[in-house]
Amino acid sequence: MTDIAASAASADFARRARSFDAAATQYDTARPDYPPALLDALEETTGRPLKGARAVDVGAGTGIATRLLRDRGARVTAVEPGAGMAARFRASLPGVPLVRGSGDALPLAGASADLITYAQSFHWTDPARSVPEALRVLRPGGALALWWNVADLGVGWIAAQQERVRRDLDGDTKGAPGNARALPAGLRQADRTLRWSRRIPLDLHLANLGSHSVFLLHDARDTRAFLDRERALLGEAFPDGVVEEEYTVELTVALRQDA
């Protein structure tokens, strides 16, 4: 890749990452949280309880994962780069410490955390920078945990919807981590896949769909037209107005070798 092409790709990446700030309330209201089994798996793979653990939730967004970690008893500090997301976080979780920053340059002291988490956000970092930063901030025996809610393409209507998103908007909303789970050598890595689902009103499903960057960065008229068509299609498929979204949670936990 040429320097010009790399610069353009980097600018597009940053634009996509910043797109969530303008839709922070929609994101917070409509995005799914995570099943309790995820926190159980996190404790199993790290080999320690969350209660009392010093955790850092990076790319915390509006605090969806932060809240679950806090409620399990972790002592959480959140790190979030976006102004809009941070403002929503502070309104929702006023008692949880939040610092502005990114995983590529954590504004935290070395050896200060037992656990660093990325919920739906590690793919927005440069692993060549974010992994060494995580190792710097983690205490001996600490763990780096990454996870994503991924739309289950084995479900017919979800696969069909993703095909329409690709066809009409040239993107997707499935939430897959891509290559982000391929961490550098030298870390003891464990992977888990957890299935879960939630039943929600059709309007909330459409708000969830529209909170993804492919929608936020597209022409508003096109996205409105797309969502109107989805409302009609899904209204026929789910005549009671309740949609069952089905997910797999892709979890990766990396332990320091000195664990």
Side-chain angles (χ1 to χ4, degrees):
M1 183 181 291
T2 67
D3 290 344
I4 293 175
S7 178
S10 177
D12 180 65
F13 185 80
R15 185 172 67 100
R16 289 173 56 213
R18 290 193 302 268
S19 69
F20 300 109
D21 277 324
T25 298
Q26 178 180 349
Y27 189 106
D28 193 37
T29 302
R31 284 292 183 102
D33 55 16
Y34 305 96
L38 170 63
L39 302 182
D40 296 338
L42 191 55
E43 292 182 324
E44 176 190 342
T45 51
T46 61
R48 65 168 297 159
L50 285 167
K51 185 175 182 179
R54 291 187 177 273
V56 177
D57 190 23
V58 188
T62 62
I64 294 172
T66 310
R67 183 179 295 105
L68 296 177
L69 293 166
R70 181 205 61 183
D71 291 349
R72 185 62 75 103
R75 300 161 66 184
V76 191
T77 296
V79 178
E80 169 55 39
M85 299 290 260
R88 180 70 181 185
F89 181 104
R90 290 190 176 103
S92 301
L93 295 168
V96 177
L98 170 68
V99 294
R100 297 289 300 282
S102 76
D104 293 342
L106 290 170
L108 300 168
S112 61
D114 302 308
L115 175 67
I116 293 178
T117 63
Y118 281 87
Q120 229 62 34
S121 61
F122 190 71
H123 57 286
W124 296 113
T125 75
D126 174 3
R129 299 171 65 189
S130 58
V131 172
E133 273 292 270
L135 294 178
R136 178 185 66 80
V137 173
L138 283 172
R139 292 173 171 170
L144 170 64
L146 328 171
W147 66 81
W148 291 263
N149 267 326
V150 181
D152 188 347
L153 299 184
V155 177
W157 76 266
I158 295 176
Q161 182 178 77
Q162 289 302 313
E163 181 56 38
R164 293 191 292 272
V165 174
R166 284 192 294 270
R167 181 193 67 202
D168 296 350
L169 301 178
D170 192 27
D172 68 68
T173 62
K174 64 182 182 296
N179 295 325
R181 295 178 82 184
L183 295 174
L187 295 173
R188 292 193 297 149
Q189 181 172 329
D191 297 323
R192 297 284 189 276
T193 298
L194 308 169
R195 295 178 61 87
W196 76 289
S197 65
R198 65 171 186 168
R199 289 175 56 80
I200 57 172
L202 174 57
D203 283 348
L204 189 60
H205 167 71
L206 294 174
N208 174 24
L209 195 66
S211 73
H212 288 261
S213 60
V214 63
F215 283 83
L216 299 175
L217 293 173
H218 228 83
D219 182 273
R221 290 170 297 182
D222 291 343
T223 60
R224 280 197 300 270
F226 184 95
L227 292 172
D228 286 345
R229 292 193 297 272
E230 286 300 298
R231 183 184 303 280
L233 285 169
L234 296 180
E236 294 179 1
F238 300 96
D240 63 353
V242 177
V243 174
E244 184 167 13
E245 296 179 340
E246 299 194 43
Y247 295 96
T248 59
V249 179
E250 304 290 349
L251 169 67
T252 289
V253 173
L255 302 175
R256 288 182 54 151
Q257 283 192 315
D258 53 11

